[in-house]
Amino acid sequence: MLEIELDGKKVEVLEGSTVMHAADKAGTYIPHFCYHKKLSIAANCRMCLVEVEKAPKPMPACATPVTQGMVVRTRSDKAVKAQRSVMEFLLINHPLDCPICDQGGECQLQDLAVGYGGSSSRYAEEKRVVFHKDVGPLISMEEMSRCIHCTRCVRFGQEMAGAMELGMVHRGEHSEITTVTGGTVDSELSGNMIDLCPVGALTSKPFRYSARTWELSRRKSVSPHDSTGANLIVQVKANRVMRVLPLENEAVNECWLADRDRFSYEALNSEDRLTTPMVKQDGRWQATDWPTALEYVARSLRQIAERHGAAAVGALGSPHATCEELHLLAKLVRGLGSDNIDHRLRHRDFAVAETGTAHWLGRSIASLGELDRVLVVGSNLRKDHPLFAMRLRQAARRGAQVHGLHAVQDDWAMPMASSLLVAPSGWVAALAGIAAAVATAQGVAAPVEATADDAARAIAESLLGGEHKALLLGHLAAQHPQASAILALVEWIGTRTGATVGHLGEAANSVGAALVGAQPRDGGQDAGAMLAGGLKAALLFGIEPALDVADPPTALAALRAADLVVAFTAFKSAAIDAADVLLPITPFSETSGSFVNAEGRVQSFHGVVKPLGEARPGWKVLRVLANQLGLPGFDFETSEEVKAEALAKPALLPSRLHNRAPQAAEALRLPAAPADGALERLAELPIYASDVLVRRAPSLQATADARQAPQAAVSAALAARLGLADGDEVRVGQGDAAVVLPLRVHPAMADHVVRVPAGLPLTAALGASPAALRIEKA
């Protein structure tokens, strides 16, 4: 520790710290623009000039290392005069458009100009003009004359997002921030550049000119998308969500948001919102009131249970729904005498999870940035979990070795130690090879007989080194037909190498859904069995059956064959083709509830606006429906009462989080290799097709990740073998269905694999994945 004197006070800081760090510790504010605690030092705005004793001129606090006994003055005449001079230069070319600037009211330059700016300008020459740039649907760069060249946006792209999409060109008064090539900013984290901009140069394009910041109410919430559980500030005007910003929480999302968390609020105000109950009669939809709709549903459920037995009734809940909603949904179904309840809509192997327990990350989210060795299985990490990828990117920048096992290697925007490209049917064998290499290195018996190639030995050698290690299972590993075998082998490798085993998590509340019992307990049907047919009454809570399940054609056929399908949904189009009754429930912004994120953290939130139209919070609808059915135990007045029952004894929650496999790795038998020439489908879920909200957010759907038509991607070797070229139109068939898609030759992809995305209307006609495919030139 070093001791310095700062404005007459003694301050102790770590060696290597800067004057700015010392000021932060002492609670002394030094004006600045380019400095940000999460970014590297640029020292180019010069606003933080301070007086350092014995230094010949003022020094930038952000870039001046402390030394023992240093004396610093931040408010002396010399320091203040230097800061005022810098402010004068910054304002020389700044346009006088505060009255119409979206940043007005929360502008760092505006705030500091009050304290350090002059009452008038001595500059009488023409001001410079910087032309606007179109960088996509999310960021507005219409007024780049406001830019003060702090380069925060440039450094964020390089250091946090992993891609330098913006840069500064030219020098002096000709300097400007640009994409250089005239392209767009396509990072899944790009919205953070808006927050970082200290002036109004980068603003939110969807929010532009829609409200002034002082008109907005600020309310806390939690993201309903991925398993990070990012903390939000939702800004509201006239009972309408206008903007979403990050709420800083160092343990969860730091001060960042993924674009999915930031811009999906547009769907909340969509014209597709369902605002009144609707019942289908004689093939035609008719609006009705709540008492009539609920009485009709209750009467129909009773009749079906009496006629066909309670086992003919089942419920499917979205893993994006709250703990309270899923708990009451499961309780209602069990109150009818059925155990048919599940949230694992895309899974193929349902033997993985124990009743009443949940798979989780295996460690804290914050610790991901401290890892030395990581193996990620079955995940396009950057698109599936942008904020987890950011943590691992920082670890990789510090020297961590990151390995991937997947059928395709996309750009994760981080240094990769290795990428093992294997078709999904070969993932179990590939993990067995890594286990065999670990066993050989340690001189123990391998769990199953397998051959370790050079790639497997390299990964094993890496995992045997380092101190902090993790094995992380992604969406496709959890949804794999041999998910149990994958988990068993990963658990064995983790035990032998000292690595933690974790599931990255598929949705905002996948962990909470398992903890509250939204899956079969006593011989009930799982999601796969229910959607294969046989149900006479189906309750769909918050799901879009054509896009949210593993096998959409089979699921839709099963639902259309049922006597009653009740959809609890916030959007008309989500289930109108499959349902008989539509009950309008509120999205996360209009209800209170709780999510449990990947690390097992319970986060509760309140509704930030009133329900739209006749929509009602899902937990209230389920409570009233249960009362209509005469079921006991549904006398709840608040969502907090439901939470207390759903997550009883919170202190015991950690003991119910584990990643144990249902069988030992030694009991496994490796699956047979597919037939020669057989093609497998890889059906990943695109980042902006992951749930009902992002699919209905216009700006997200206009991004590079979403606006491009779905493609069939293959390796160069497979394309050559099939006589196909990049850009060809191909007919992809699966079972009785076929779709025509453009072909893309991917530079890093396993052979025998055809990548066709799931969760999209165009590809929904195809069945489950992985599965045998046919592909030919259209």
Side-chain angles (χ1 to χ4, degrees):
M1 298 290 284
L2 301 176
E3 185 178 82
I4 72 168
E5 182 182 311
L6 184 77
D7 291 337
K9 295 189 296 185
K10 300 292 185 182
V11 183
E12 283 193 348
V13 291
L14 293 172
E15 190 172 353
S17 299
T18 65
V19 173
M20 187 70 83
H21 296 141
D24 286 343
K25 185 172 182 181
T28 299
Y29 177 73
I30 298 176
H32 61 272
F33 293 112
C34 67
Y35 171 77
H36 190 276
K37 61 184 178 181
K38 296 289 183 181
L39 303 177
S40 62
I41 301 299
N44 52 6
C45 78
R46 317 307 285 181
M47 191 65 212
C48 63
L49 292 176
V50 294
E51 181 183 358
V52 178
E53 194 172 83
K54 298 182 182 179
K57 59 183 179 180
M59 305 291 286
C62 66
T64 303
V66 297
T67 58
Q68 180 65 34
M70 175 185 276
V71 178
V72 179
R73 301 181 184 92
T74 68
R75 301 191 184 101
S76 66
D77 289 342
K78 186 176 182 180
V80 172
K81 186 177 293 185
Q83 292 161 359
R84 288 183 180 277
S85 297
V86 169
M87 177 59 71
E88 183 175 18
F89 278 114
L90 289 175
L91 293 176
I92 274 177
N93 279 302
H94 200 77
L96 298 174
D97 57 1
C98 292
I100 57 101
C101 179
D102 263 353
Q103 197 85 349
E106 55 185 9
C107 175
Q108 207 171 335
L109 182 66
Q110 199 176 50
D111 293 342
L112 291 180
V114 172
Y116 298 90
S119 58
S120 61
S121 175
R122 294 184 290 172
Y123 185 78
E125 287 73 20
E126 290 184 0
K127 295 195 175 192
R128 77 173 195 148
V129 173
V130 181
F131 290 109
H132 63 84
K133 300 159 183 69
D134 184 4
V135 293
L138 305 180
I139 300 177
S140 172
M141 296 179 72
E142 291 293 317
E143 288 90 11
M144 289 306 292
S145 297
R146 300 170 183 164
C147 179
I148 61 169
H149 309 134
C150 70
T151 68
R152 280 184 178 184
C153 55
V154 177
R155 284 175 285 145
F156 174 83
Q158 284 180 293
E159 299 163 17
M160 295 295 168
M164 186 176 174
E165 295 180 290
L166 292 177
M168 189 161 73
V169 297
H170 308 311
R171 301 189 65 173
E173 71 169 3
H174 301 295
S175 299
E176 59 180 287
I177 300 294
T178 174
T179 57
V180 181
T181 61
T184 55
V185 175
D186 299 325
S187 168
E188 62 284 352
L189 298 163
S190 65
N192 294 293
M193 295 178 182
I194 300 168
D195 294 340
L196 286 171
C197 185
V199 295
L202 305 184
T203 54
S204 169
K205 191 171 280 190
F207 175 71
R208 183 175 164 83
Y209 293 152
S210 60
R212 305 314 304 259
T213 56
W214 55 83
E215 299 174 321
L216 303 175
S217 300
R218 297 162 56 91
R219 295 162 188 172
K220 297 178 182 179
S221 192
V222 178
S223 169
H225 303 299
D226 64 33
S227 60
T228 308
N231 291 198
L232 311 177
I233 293 175
V234 182
Q235 297 190 325
V236 175
K237 177 185 176 183
N239 202 48
R240 183 183 176 95
V241 175
M242 304 300 293
R243 186 166 60 165
V244 171
L245 299 174
L247 174 63
E248 185 168 354
N249 185 334
E250 198 64 26
V252 181
N253 56 301
E254 301 176 273
C255 56
W256 314 118
L257 281 186
D259 289 351
R260 177 167 52 190
D261 305 323
R262 183 185 300 271
F263 295 107
S264 66
Y265 73 87
E266 288 183 297
L268 303 173
N269 307 316
S270 165
E271 292 183 1
D272 191 36
R273 282 290 304 273
L274 180 66
T275 58
T276 187
M278 300 181 74
V279 178
K280 186 188 290 184
Q281 292 185 338
D282 300 324
R284 299 179 63 184
W285 285 101
Q286 294 187 358
T288 185
D289 55 29
W290 273 109
T292 303
L294 290 176
E295 198 278 328
Y296 173 77
V297 172
R299 183 176 68 250
S300 300
L301 286 174
R302 279 194 297 266
Q303 291 173 350
I304 290 171
E306 291 169 3
R307 191 180 308 133
H308 302 283
V313 178
L316 295 159
S318 169
H320 299 276
T322 65
C323 291
E324 291 80 358
E325 291 167 336
L326 291 169
H327 169 70
L328 291 184
L329 181 66
K331 187 173 182 178
L332 186 150
V333 171
R334 292 189 174 108
L336 291 171
S338 172
D339 194 44
N340 302 335
I341 170 71
D342 211 344
H343 70 280
R344 299 164 296 174
L345 307 175
R346 298 185 185 276
H347 285 220
R348 307 290 302 285
D349 181 355
F350 295 93
V352 184
E354 295 179 30
T355 299
T357 64
H359 290 157
W360 69 303
L361 190 60
R363 56 171 53 244
S364 70
I365 292 173
S367 70
L368 293 176
E370 302 166 1
L371 291 171
D372 302 316
R373 304 287 189 272
V374 190
L375 172 61
V376 181
V377 181
S379 174
N380 181 1
L381 185 68
R382 179 179 171 185
K383 302 300 182 182
D384 293 346
H385 298 280
L387 294 178
F388 289 175
M390 181 187 284
R391 298 266 192 183
L392 291 179
R393 191 171 295 122
Q394 301 314 303
R397 285 168 59 87
R398 287 192 287 268
Q401 296 177 11
V402 181
H403 307 271
L405 170 58
H406 202 357
V408 61
Q409 180 53 53
D410 292 307
D411 180 13
W412 285 6
M414 69 178 77
M416 295 290 293
S418 71
S419 296
L420 194 54
L421 299 179
V422 183
S425 61
W427 289 358
V428 174
L431 287 168
I434 296 171
V438 170
T440 300
Q442 293 187 332
V444 299
V448 291
E449 188 175 341
T451 303
D453 57 15
D454 291 342
R457 283 191 287 271
I459 293 174
E461 183 181 350
S462 175
L463 292 175
L464 287 166
E467 183 178 355
H468 305 291
K469 298 171 275 193
L471 307 173
L472 302 174
L473 299 175
H475 294 359
L476 295 183
Q479 297 161 6
H480 198 280
Q482 287 93 40
S484 298
I486 289 173
L487 179 57
L489 285 166
V490 167
E491 185 183 5
W492 189 92
I493 296 169
T495 301
R496 299 304 310 181
T497 61
T500 60
V501 175
H503 282 74
L504 290 168
E506 298 167 72
N509 202 30
S510 297
V511 175
L515 289 176
V516 301
Q519 58 195 49
R521 289 176 176 169
D522 303 313
Q525 295 182 48
D526 53 50
M530 284 188 273
L531 292 172
L535 288 183
K536 293 298 181 181
L539 306 179
L540 309 180
F541 196 95
I543 73 170
E544 197 161 359
L547 302 175
D548 283 338
V549 300
D551 189 348
T554 302
L556 289 173
L559 293 174
R560 285 166 183 154
D563 294 341
L564 176 70
V565 178
V566 181
F568 302 77
T569 178
F571 299 97
K572 287 179 281 192
S573 64
I576 200 164
D577 294 333
D580 301 300
V581 180
L582 297 176
L583 300 180
I585 59 171
T586 56
F588 81 104
S589 57
E590 299 167 20
T591 184
S592 56
S594 306
F595 293 138
V596 184
N597 71 357
E599 68 177 0
R601 181 186 296 262
V602 180
Q603 300 188 108
S604 297
F605 55 92
H606 296 286
V608 298
V609 292
K610 296 177 182 177
L612 185 65
E614 292 298 311
R616 293 294 178 264
W619 70 269
K620 289 187 177 182
V621 176
L622 290 166
R623 180 199 65 189
V624 177
L625 177 58
N627 292 336
Q628 291 267 23
L629 288 164
L631 302 179
F634 283 84
D635 300 323
F636 301 104
E637 294 294 330
T638 65
S639 63
E640 285 77 11
E641 294 177 13
V642 185
K643 175 187 172 184
E645 180 177 281
L647 298 172
K649 300 179 181 178
L652 299 180
L653 284 184
S655 66
R656 295 165 59 193
L657 299 172
H658 71 81
N659 294 305
R660 294 188 298 272
Q663 58 179 330
E666 289 79 2
L668 296 179
R669 300 185 66 178
L670 295 184
D676 288 342
L679 301 180
E680 296 179 39
R681 179 187 176 195
L682 178 71
E684 292 178 301
L685 196 62
I687 183 172
Y688 300 134
S690 57
D691 59 68
V692 294
L693 286 178
V694 296
R695 294 185 196 120
R696 290 165 176 81
S699 295
L700 292 179
Q701 294 307 311
T703 60
D705 277 313
R707 67 173 179 263
Q708 191 174 42
Q711 300 172 322
V714 298
S715 66
L718 179 56
R721 200 159 58 247
L722 296 172
L724 300 172
D726 193 72
D728 284 350
E729 293 285 312
V730 295
R731 181 175 288 103
V732 179
Q734 186 174 341
D736 297 330
V739 296
V740 176
L741 302 170
L743 185 79
R744 182 197 171 198
V745 176
H746 198 286
M749 195 164 178
D751 211 357
H752 307 296
V753 172
V754 182
R755 183 192 210 178
V756 180
L760 301 173
L762 186 58
T763 61
L766 301 177
S769 169
L773 280 186
R774 307 179 305 277
I775 184 170
E776 59 187 4
K777 194 166 185 176

